[in-house]
Amino acid sequence: MIIFGSFGCKPQIETKNTLLQKEIAQKVDSVLGLMHLEEKIGQMVQYSAGWDLTGPPSSESAQNKIDQIKKGLVGSVLNVVSVKEVREAQKLVMENSRLKIPMIFAFDVIHGLKTMFPIPLGESASWDLELIEKTASIAAKEAAAAGLNWTFAPMIDVSRDARWGRIMEGAGEDPYLNSVIGVARIQGFQGDDLSHENTIAACAKHLAGYGFAEAGREYSTVNVGEFELHNTILPPFKAAAKAGVATFMNSFNDIDGIPATGHKELQRTILKEGWNWNGFIVSDWGSIGEMVGHGFAKDKKHAAEIALNAGSDMDMQSYSYERNLKTLLQENKVSLAHIDAAVKRILTVKFQLGLFDDPYKYCDEEREKNNIYTKEHLAIARDAARKSIVLLKNEHAILPVSKNVKSIAVIGPFADNKDSPLANWRAKATYNSAVSLLEGVQAKVGKNTKVYYEKGVELTIPTVKPGENQFMFPLQMNTKDRSGISKAVAIAKKAEIVFLAIGEDAYQTGEGRSQTKIGFAGLQSELLEAVYKVNKNIVLVLSNGRPMDISRANTILPGILVTWQLGSASGNGIADVLFGDYNPSGKLPVSFPRNVGQEPLYYNQKNTGRPSNDVHVTYAGYTDSKKAALYPFGFGLSYTHFSYNHLKVDRETMSSEDKITLSVVVKNIGNVAGEEVVQLYIRDLVASVIRPVKELKGFQKLLIKAGHSKTVSFVIDKELLQFYTINKKWEVETGEFHLFVGGSSATKLKQKITVE
Ligand code: BGC
C-alpha cells in the first residue's frame, strides 16, 4: 500500500513512515481528547494578519484577532512573515491559551521568497524537473528561515486561455506537464521530511477547474463534463495526492453550478475517499462565504454547513466556521464526526511539521540572516532564468550576438526595468532588485562595444507610489506620451543590432488580471514600428506572463526570445542566451496564438467530426485565421539543430498488461552542443470517450554534443495508455494507438501500435 502524507510515498521508507504515522495518529487522538468544541472549531479557522492582504480587506479589528488567538481559537494565520513577527504571534497562543496548540504560518511563496525565480509558467518552459525541484527547495529554505511553515503552492490548474491572468502561476495547458512539474515542486517544498528545518508544507491548488474559467474571466463559472474533469483537470491533483502533498486548497469557481468549495464529490468522494489522501483542505480566501455571492448558500451559516459537509477543513478568512459551526452542530446540520476528522487532519500536519515539539522551530534569527537571498540562491536563480527562456525565431542566425559587436541599442519599457522581472506574487522581493536586461548586456560585452539605451515609451502611468504593493490595484496604461520614441529611433539608427524589450508589465498577469487583449498594450506597437523603420536587425526580448499575440512582430522581426518574468537574475539570464553563453533549451508550456480570437487554444484538442480542410469552409476552424497556433505547445529553438531518425518499437502489438519499448535516435546536426526536450505524445484513435489528437505522455531533456547522437527510449504501458472511460474507470481500451516523438507537439513522426 502507498502511504500518503507528508513523507512522500517512497516505498523504501514505508515502514519507518508507517510507524511515524501511527505514532502521530496516537498523539493527535490524545490532543483531540482534551479539546473543547470551541477549541476544535478554532483549529479550523485561518486569519489573515500582517499587511499583505490579498483579498477584499476584512472588517475584523486587529484586537479582535489577537483576543481569539490568545484563547486558542485560531489554527493558522497567513501573511505574517519574519522570525520576529511569527514568534510574537506564536507567543500569543503559547503563552495564553489553555491547550497551547501551535499555529501554522502560511504565505504565498509562489516563485521564491526574496530570491525570485522565474514565474511558474516561465520556469515550466525549462522542462527541467531537477531544476524546478531545486528552486522550490530554495524557496522553502528561505520561507522556513523567515518563520513560515506552509506555502500556498504549487498551483496545478491546467489552464488553456491566455486571457486568464493566473495562467502565469501554473505549468500551462497540459495535464501531464502540470502533474510532473507539480510533483517536482511539492518534493522541493516538502523534501523527504516535513519536520526538517528547511522544509515546509506545500498546498496543491485550486481544486478544481479554476483554469477553465469561461472566456478566461477571473473567478468565473466553469462548465466541463465529467470526462473532461477526470481526464484533463484532475490528473495533476491525483499526482499531488500520491506524492504526499500536505494540504489542498479548493477553488473560487463553480463547476456546472456547484461551487468547488461546496463540492462534496470533489473533496470527500474523490480526494479524501477515492485517493485515500489524509492531509487537510483549506478554503480559498473567503471562498466559503462567497458561496452566498454564488447564490448557493443563503447566508454564511448556510455556507459553513455546506462547506464542512463537502469536506473543506479550514476556513480562510471568511469567519463562517468561527461564527456558525457550534450552532450548526446543535441544530444537527453538521456532525461532530466531521469536525473531529477535520481537526485531526490539521493537527496531523502540525505534528508532521514538528510544531508540537517546538512551536518556535522555524524562528531562528541566525537562519533568517544567513539563509535568505544568498549568493548561492542568486546563482541558481540565474540558471533557472536562462533555462526558462524560449527562442521562437532566429532568422539568418541573428542570435547569438558576438560580444565584440560594435554597437547595441537596448530599447523599450523593459530594457532597464529592475522591478517588473520580479513579477506578480513576489512574496518578500525587494522593490527594483532584479538585474535589468541593460545591466545584463553591459556586464557581458567587451569595452569596444557601445551600448545605447532608451526607454522609448512608458508602458504604464503609476497608480501606486514606487515600491508600494500594486497587488490589489489596476494599472493605467500610457496611451498619450510619445515623447521618447524619437530618442529610441535615434539610437536604433546608429546601432548594429537592437534588443527591443517590450511586452507585459508584471501586474498584467496574476490574480484578478484577466484581459480581453493579449497584444502589446499602450504605445509599444508604435515604438516597434518606428524602430523597425530605421533598423531591421531587431531581436524582440518579450516580457510576458501569458502567451501573447505577437503576430505582427513575428511577421517582420528576425529574432524572438520569450523571457517571461524571470526573477532576480533576469537580465543576466537573458544576456547569457543573447550572447551564446547558454544555448537556449526552453519549450513552450502553452500555445502562442495568432490572435486573441483563437482562445482558448491548446494543442490537445479533440478532432471533431470535421477536421480542417483548406478548400472549403464547412470544416472546424475559422474563415479569417488559421486554426493552428502561431507557435505550438512544446516548441522552442536552439542555436543548434536536431534530427530524429530510426523511430522503432520492439513490437507492434501488446495486451493491456504488456509493455512496448519505443526508441528514436536524436542527433545534434549543428555546430554547438545543445539540449533538446524529446517529447512523446500518444493518440488513442477510437475510444469510448473521444480522446485528444495528441496527448503528452513523457519527455526527456538531453544534452547532446555537436555531431553526436543519443538513443532515447520510452516504455509504453498501461499507466500511459489508460484514461477515464465510459465505464467511469481508468482503463486501457483495445485498438490502435499512434505514438509521436519529436521536438514539439507539431511533430509528425509517428509509429502505430495495437492493444489487443
Ligand atoms: C488566491 C490563492 C491564495 C490566497 C491567499 C487567494 O485570493 O486565490 O491562490 O493562496 O488568496 O493569499
Side-chain angles (χ1 to χ4, degrees):
M1 193 185 85
I2 289 170
I3 306 295
F4 298 112
S6 60
F7 305 101
C9 42
K10 297 191 178 137
Q12 66 273 25
I13 51 171
E14 183 177 315
T15 324
K16 192 177 147 214
N17 281 348
T18 312
L19 286 174
L20 268 171
Q21 301 270 24
K22 271 196 189 143
E23 204 182 295
I24 287 178
Q26 281 165 1
K27 289 180 180 169
V28 166
D29 281 340
S30 62
V31 175
L32 192 77
L34 302 172
M35 294 173 83
H36 297 156
L37 177 63
E38 288 79 0
E39 289 162 337
K40 289 179 180 174
I41 294 169
Q43 285 304 307
M44 300 165 70
V45 171
Q46 185 183 53
Y47 285 166
S48 174
W51 301 108
D52 298 300
L53 293 180
T54 63
S58 103
S59 57
E60 298 304 296
S61 76
Q63 191 52 49
N64 204 3
K65 287 182 181 174
I66 291 171
D67 292 344
Q68 290 294 98
I69 293 173
K70 280 181 168 172
K71 286 187 227 152
L73 300 182
V74 181
S76 171
V77 292
L78 72 145
N79 294 335
V80 171
V81 191
S82 87
V83 165
K84 183 169 171 288
E85 286 179 36
V86 169
R87 182 182 280 120
E88 271 171 30
Q90 193 73 296
K91 267 189 183 169
L92 293 174
V93 72
M94 297 314 294
E95 294 180 1
N96 299 286
S97 68
R98 192 179 75 93
L99 289 178
K100 309 188 192 319
I101 299 175
M103 292 194 293
I104 169 170
F105 291 84
F107 193 48
D108 289 287
V109 181
I110 308 295
H111 55 107
L113 182 85
K114 204 168 195 61
T115 305
M116 299 316 288
F117 299 105
I119 54 167
L121 184 66
E123 199 184 57
S124 302
S126 72
W127 297 55
D128 186 333
L129 301 178
E130 221 174 284
L131 172 83
I132 291 169
E133 182 172 336
K134 180 85 195 157
T135 63
S137 77
I138 293 172
K141 189 173 176 188
E142 293 199 359
L148 297 161
N149 30 54
W150 183 17
T151 176
F152 295 133
M155 185 185 102
I156 49 178
D157 294 308
V158 172
S159 48
R160 290 161 151 192
D161 197 314
R163 291 170 292 184
W164 191 47
R166 298 197 80 167
I167 197 168
M168 58 82 73
E169 289 177 54
E173 72 195 31
D174 182 76
Y176 178 81
L177 196 59
N178 267 284
S179 301
V180 293
I181 288 181
V183 168
R185 291 195 167 124
I186 290 163
Q187 280 163 352
F189 290 131
Q190 298 193 164
D192 279 340
D193 177 2
L194 260 198
S195 71
H196 192 283
E197 63 187 27
N198 288 336
T199 61
I200 59 176
C203 181
K205 71 188 188 184
H206 307 83
L207 188 74
Y210 195 9
F212 276 61
E214 199 171 74
R217 246 188 333 267
E218 182 64 310
Y219 310 127
S220 283
T221 197
V222 171
N223 283 305
V224 291
E226 187 184 348
F227 297 105
E228 184 77 329
L229 180 70
H230 282 269
N231 283 313
T232 307
I233 294 174
L234 292 182
F237 291 98
K238 193 174 182 183
K242 194 172 168 195
V245 71
T247 69
F248 267 67
M249 184 185 290
N250 57 34
S251 185
F252 290 128
N253 56 281
D254 75 274
I255 302 179
D256 196 19
I258 316 288
T261 306
H263 210 295
K264 190 169 168 185
E265 196 190 333
L266 270 181
Q267 297 176 100
R268 281 203 190 279
T269 316
I270 296 176
L271 174 60
K272 291 181 174 176
E273 288 157 22
W275 299 342
N276 195 21
W277 174 78
N278 60 15
F280 72 87
I281 305 177
V282 64
S283 78
D284 203 346
W285 178 291
S287 69
I288 297 181
E290 286 179 15
M291 288 197 284
V292 178
H294 275 289
F296 194 67
K298 55 180 184 289
D299 51 27
K300 283 196 177 178
K301 181 177 167 197
H302 188 203
E305 174 190 338
I306 294 170
L308 180 58
N309 288 333
S312 293
D313 299 308
M314 186 180 273
D315 175 1
M316 186 197 295
Q317 195 57 24
S318 95
Y319 304 97
S320 307
Y321 280 2
E322 177 181 282
R323 292 178 190 162
N324 300 297
L325 282 187
K326 194 173 171 188
T327 324
L328 285 166
L329 183 65
Q330 284 157 358
E331 292 170 0
N332 275 332
K333 300 250 173 66
V334 298
S335 70
L336 187 59
H338 276 168
I339 293 177
D340 281 351
V343 176
K344 276 187 177 186
R345 286 170 180 269
I346 293 164
L347 294 180
T348 300
V349 174
K350 291 185 177 185
F351 270 109
Q352 290 168 342
L353 283 164
L355 287 169
F356 278 95
D357 295 330
D358 178 4
Y360 304 104
K361 67 174 290 200
Y362 296 85
C363 297
D364 178 334
E365 278 82 2
E366 271 302 294
R367 284 212 303 270
E368 186 171 47
K369 218 169 83 198
N370 300 327
N371 285 0
I372 296 179
Y373 207 63
T374 65
K375 263 197 186 151
E376 186 207 344
H377 294 181
L378 286 167
I380 291 163
R382 179 178 187 152
D383 195 39
R386 60 194 201 167
K387 287 183 170 155
S388 302
I389 292 169
V390 186
L391 176 64
L392 289 187
K393 191 173 175 190
N394 196 19
E395 246 173 36
H396 320 302
I398 185 171
L399 291 177
V401 174
S402 155
K403 287 177 194 161
N404 297 319
V405 65
K406 275 204 215 94
S407 53
I408 304 171
V410 190
I411 294 175
F414 299 103
D416 196 25
N417 196 320
K418 293 177 65 60
D419 196 60
S420 205
L422 301 171
N424 204 336
W425 288 117
R426 57 176 61 189
K428 287 286 162 189
T430 305
Y431 173 67
N432 248 350
S433 63
V435 178
S436 75
L437 171 64
L438 181 63
E439 289 170 329
V441 170
Q442 279 164 337
K444 197 64 94 174
V445 294
K447 55 181 182 315
N448 296 329
T449 303
K450 182 89 192 126
V451 179
Y452 304 107
Y453 160 69
E454 283 297 338
K455 191 181 274 183
V457 293
E458 295 284 354
L459 175 56
T460 59
I461 299 166
T463 49
V464 299
K465 294 203 188 90
E468 255 180 24
N469 197 343
Q470 183 86 49
F471 187 86
M472 296 287 291
F473 305 101
L475 294 173
Q476 198 186 333
M477 295 300 167
N478 165 34
T479 53
K480 295 206 174 90
D481 180 5
R482 298 175 166 79
S483 57
I485 294 184
S486 56
K487 287 188 231 159
V489 167
I491 62 162
K493 261 188 202 157
K494 5 182 225 193
E496 241 174 85
I497 187 164
V498 176
F499 297 153
L500 185 65
I502 57 176
E504 288 185 324
D505 183 89
Y507 289 98
Q508 284 184 260
T509 49
E511 186 173 354
R513 307 277 174 180
S514 292
Q515 294 183 171
T516 60
K517 300 186 198 78
I518 55 170
F520 296 113
L523 300 169
Q524 296 182 103
S525 293
E526 286 185 34
L527 176 66
L528 185 158
E529 299 294 342
V531 171
Y532 180 70
K533 259 194 198 141
V534 300
N535 191 335
K536 310 277 182 267
N537 217 20
I538 300 176
V539 176
L540 167 62
V541 180
L542 188 72
S543 290
N544 58 314
R546 58 160 59 82
M548 291 182 67
D549 173 354
I550 53 165
S551 286
R552 167 71 183 155
N554 185 61
T555 307
I556 61 175
L557 304 187
I560 302 178
L561 270 192
V562 175
T563 70
W564 318 102
Q565 284 110 18
L566 289 176
S568 302
S570 176
N572 285 334
I574 301 173
D576 284 344
V577 170
L578 288 172
F579 295 96
D581 286 341
Y582 181 74
N583 186 356
S585 63
K587 301 274 187 177
L588 293 177
V590 275
S591 305
F592 264 55
R594 291 168 197 276
N595 56 62
V596 71
Q598 286 184 309
E599 296 292 334
L601 179 68
Y602 47 94
Y603 83 96
N604 37 1
Q605 296 173 357
K606 294 175 185 127
N607 204 32
T608 81
R610 293 189 182 190
S612 295
N613 170 310
D614 289 338
V615 185
H616 301 129
V617 293
T618 49
Y619 287 85
Y622 303 103
T623 52
D624 63 347
S625 170
K626 284 190 181 160
K627 189 173 143 199
L630 184 65
Y631 288 105
F633 175 85
F635 180 86
L637 300 173
S638 159
Y639 294 152
T640 186
H641 296 277
F642 299 96
S643 69
Y644 285 73
N645 288 300
H646 311 299
L647 178 67
K648 58 172 197 244
V649 282
D650 59 353
R651 56 203 168 112
E652 289 185 14
T653 54
M654 65 183 267
S655 80
S656 65
E657 298 304 321
D658 290 339
K659 289 177 174 37
I660 284 181
T661 302
L662 170 95
S663 64
V664 67
V665 178
V666 185
K667 183 169 185 194
N668 180 340
I669 52 171
N671 301 322
V672 287
E675 287 158 282
E676 170 72 331
V677 181
V678 180
Q679 301 158 41
L680 168 74
Y681 296 86
I682 66 162
R683 178 167 180 192
D684 185 344
L685 291 183
V686 180
S688 62
V689 175
I690 45 176
R691 310 302 304 133
V693 290
K694 264 182 197 150
E695 295 176 80
L696 180 71
K697 288 292 172 180
F699 61 87
Q700 292 176 38
K701 188 166 184 172
L702 310 166
L703 175 67
I704 309 181
K705 286 190 204 146
H708 286 236
S709 302
K710 279 191 179 166
T711 302
V712 183
S713 305
F714 293 98
V715 175
I716 314 300
D717 61 7
K718 184 177 173 181
E719 178 84 5
L720 192 143
L721 298 174
Q722 65 181 349
F723 71 101
Y724 189 76
T725 69
I726 196 75
N727 300 326
K728 309 198 171 187
K729 281 195 234 154
W730 282 80
E731 300 173 306
V732 181
E733 290 183 346
T734 55
E736 210 173 279
F737 288 78
H738 286 168
L739 310 174
F740 298 87
V741 178
S744 92
S745 63
T747 178
K748 294 199 163 62
L749 185 64
K750 78 172 181 229
Q751 167 71 45
K752 201 173 74 182
I753 63 163
T754 308
V755 176
E756 290 176 333

